[in-house]
Amino acid sequence: MVLTILIYCNNMISVLKTIKNEFIYYFIAFCLISNAIVFIPNRMVFYMIGISLLALYSIKNNKSSNNGNIFLMFYGACLLSSIINFVFDYRLFLFAIIILFTTPVTISSKIMRFREKFIYSSLMLFPILSIASLYCYYAGINIMSREEGDVSWDFSAFFPHSMWLAAAIGIANTTLMWLILNQKNIILKSLFIVILLSSIFLSVVSASRTALIASSVSMIYLLFMQSKNIKILLLYIIISITILSFAYPYYIESSTRIQAKIEYAEGDIFKSRNEHFSEGFKHLKESPLVGAGFATAYFHNRKITGRLESGSGWLSVLFQTGIIGFGILLNIVFRLRKSIAIIKKEKKLLLFSSVFVFLCLHSCFEGYILTSGYYLCILFWSLLGYLYYAPHFYKEKKFN
C-alpha cells in the first residue's frame, strides 16, 4: 500500500514537472490563438504578449546565419510594393515581426527547439478547441446566430465567423489523426478516434468545403507518409472507410448548410469569390511586378487598405506583392522538398508537414498568409520556417 502511494506520488510529481516545463509554450500558444476567441477579453493584448515572447527568445538566442535571407527578400517585396504604391499600414510592421521571429532570419539550435515545442503545443490545443466547439453546438452557443440557441445555420461556436471555426477544426482533424496513428494505448487511441469523428462532424456543420477537403487531403497525406508499405496503407484506408461509413448518416443530417452552398455555387466553386478574384486580376495588370501594396485589396473598384482579403491567401500574395513577392514565396515552398527524407523519419515533423499541407490547401480559398493579426498567419510562417530549416537542424543534431 505504501509502495503504491509512493509510486503514485512520484508519477504526480513527474506530471507536475512536465506541466511546469511546458507551461511557457502552451501559454504562448494560448496567447496567439486567443485573438480568435470572442469570449476572451483583451484578445489583442494576449496576441501581442505571445508575439513579444517569441521575439524576445529569438533575439536573446539568435546566432548569425544566412539561411533566412530568402525570407528577408520576401519581406523586401512586401515593403517595395507598399513604397511604390504609397500604401502604409501598421500590419506591415507586425508582419515584419512575424518574419523576423518565426523564420530562419533569427535561428540557432536553441531557437529551433523552442519553436518545435511552441508549434507542437499550439497544435495540441486544437483538439481541445474542437471539444469545446462541440459543447457549444449542443449548448446552443453560436456567435454568428441572430437568434439565441440557433446552431442550424452558420455555426461558429465561440469564433467570430464559421470560416474561423472551420480552419481550427481542420487543424484539429489533422492533429487527431496524427495522435491516433502514434498512440499505442488502445483506450487513448479509441478516445482520439471518437474525438476525430466528432471533429469531422463539426467540419460538416461549419460548412466550409475548402476546410473539409483540405483536412481530408492532409489526413490522407499523413496516412501515406506514416505507412511503411502498401499493405499498412490499405489497412489504414479500409479501417477509415469502415468507421466513416457508420458515421456518414449523422454527418448527412447536419449538412444542410454545406449542401446549400453547393447548390448556390451551381458547379462554380469560385462563385462566392469571383468578384474578389476578377478585380484582383484586373488591377494586377496595372502593376504586375509589385502588386497593389501590402494589406490592400480592391472591392467594387475601390482600393481598400486593411483586413479585406481577396478570398485566397495565395492570390493575396500575388495581388499585394506582385510577381516578385509571389515568385519568392513559391521558391521558399519549393525548397521544402529537401525536408521530405527527414519528415518520414521524424514523427513531429510529419505532424508539422501535415498541418502545413492543410494550411497550403486551405489558403487557396481563405486568406491569412499576409494577415498578420490572425493566429493562422503566425502558424503558417512558423511551420514554413521550421520545415525550411529542418535539414540543417537535424544534421546538426546528428553530429552533436
Side-chain angles (χ1 to χ4, degrees), residues 37-256:
I37 300 175
V38 173
F39 296 144
I40 297 178
N42 302 313
R43 304 194 306 273
M44 203 60 193
V45 173
F46 278 111
Y47 186 74
M48 296 310 297
I49 289 172
I51 290 179
S52 298
L53 290 172
L54 287 177
L56 287 171
Y57 192 89
S58 297
I59 292 169
K60 181 181 177 181
N61 297 284
N62 182 47
K63 292 184 179 179
S64 58
S65 169
N66 295 321
N67 290 286
N69 287 346
I70 194 167
F71 290 90
L72 288 176
M73 288 172 61
F74 178 74
Y75 184 75
C78 297
L79 190 60
L80 178 65
S81 68
S82 294
I83 292 172
I84 291 178
N85 288 282
F86 296 101
V87 174
F88 299 100
D89 187 89
Y90 76 90
R91 294 173 183 82
L92 182 62
F93 170 75
L94 188 57
F95 189 64
I97 296 174
I98 292 173
I99 291 295
L100 286 172
F101 304 120
T102 65
T103 72
V105 174
T106 51
I107 203 68
S108 68
S109 294
K110 286 187 71 174
I111 290 173
M112 279 293 282
R113 286 192 290 270
F114 181 87
R115 289 176 184 168
E116 178 184 294
K117 291 182 178 180
F118 152 67
I119 294 171
Y120 181 78
S121 301
S122 297
L123 299 183
M124 290 303 112
L125 288 182
F126 284 95
I128 298 173
L129 291 176
S130 182
I131 295 170
S133 298
L134 186 67
Y135 167 78
C136 289
Y137 182 81
Y138 287 105
I141 300 170
N142 183 15
I143 294 300
M144 281 193 73
S145 175
R146 294 181 179 180
E147 297 181 14
E148 187 175 347
D150 181 18
V151 296
S152 62
W153 207 257
D154 290 329
F155 177 65
S156 69
F158 40 73
F159 291 93
H161 197 281
S162 58
M163 296 301 98
W164 291 37
L165 169 65
I169 298 304
I171 296 172
N173 292 347
T174 307
T175 302
L176 284 162
M177 178 62 80
W178 181 85
L179 287 169
I180 291 166
L181 294 175
N182 291 281
Q183 179 56 246
K184 295 181 180 179
N185 186 299
I186 190 65
I187 296 175
L188 286 176
K189 188 186 285 284
S190 301
L191 176 62
F192 290 143
I193 290 172
V194 172
I195 298 173
L196 175 58
L197 291 172
S198 302
S199 192
I200 294 173
F201 168 78
L202 287 173
S203 290
V204 174
V205 170
S206 63
S208 172
R209 293 160 293 172
T210 307
L212 183 58
I213 293 170
S215 65
S216 299
V217 173
S218 66
M219 286 189 283
I220 293 169
Y221 163 86
L222 189 53
L223 289 173
F224 179 79
M225 295 291 283
Q226 182 100 2
S227 304
K228 295 180 180 179
N229 56 60
I230 191 66
K231 290 182 180 178
I232 295 177
L233 177 60
L234 288 173
L235 179 63
Y236 283 149
I237 292 173
I238 291 169
I239 292 172
S240 299
I241 291 174
T242 302
I243 294 174
L244 285 172
S245 65
F246 285 104
Y248 181 75
Y250 298 98
Y251 296 157
I252 287 296
E253 286 179 9
S254 302
S255 63
T256 307

Side-chain angles (χ1 to χ4, degrees), residues 70-85 87 91-92 95 99 280-281 283-298 303 308-310 312-332 369-371 381:
I70 194 167
F71 290 90
L72 288 176
M73 288 172 61
F74 178 74
Y75 184 75
C78 297
L79 190 60
L80 178 65
S81 68
S82 294
I83 292 172
I84 291 178
N85 288 282
V87 174
R91 294 173 183 82
L92 182 62
F95 189 64
I99 291 295
F281 281 112
H283 293 284
L284 180 65
K285 295 176 182 177
E286 300 169 4
S287 182
L289 290 179
V290 297
F294 188 85
T296 63
Y298 283 91
K303 191 174 183 178
L308 183 68
E309 287 279 357
S310 67
S312 165
W314 296 105
L315 288 181
S316 290
V317 175
L318 179 62
F319 296 156
Q320 292 181 28
T321 68
I323 295 171
I324 294 174
F326 188 69
I328 294 171
L329 181 56
L330 287 184
N331 192 355
I332 295 172
I369 294 176
L370 299 181
T371 310
W381 288 99

Side-chain angles (χ1 to χ4, degrees), residues 371-392:
T371 310
S372 49
Y374 191 18
Y375 75 91
L376 286 178
C377 177
I378 289 187
L379 188 58
F380 177 90
W381 288 99
S382 295
L383 286 167
L384 178 56
Y386 188 90
L387 293 170
Y388 182 89
Y389 193 76
H392 303 280

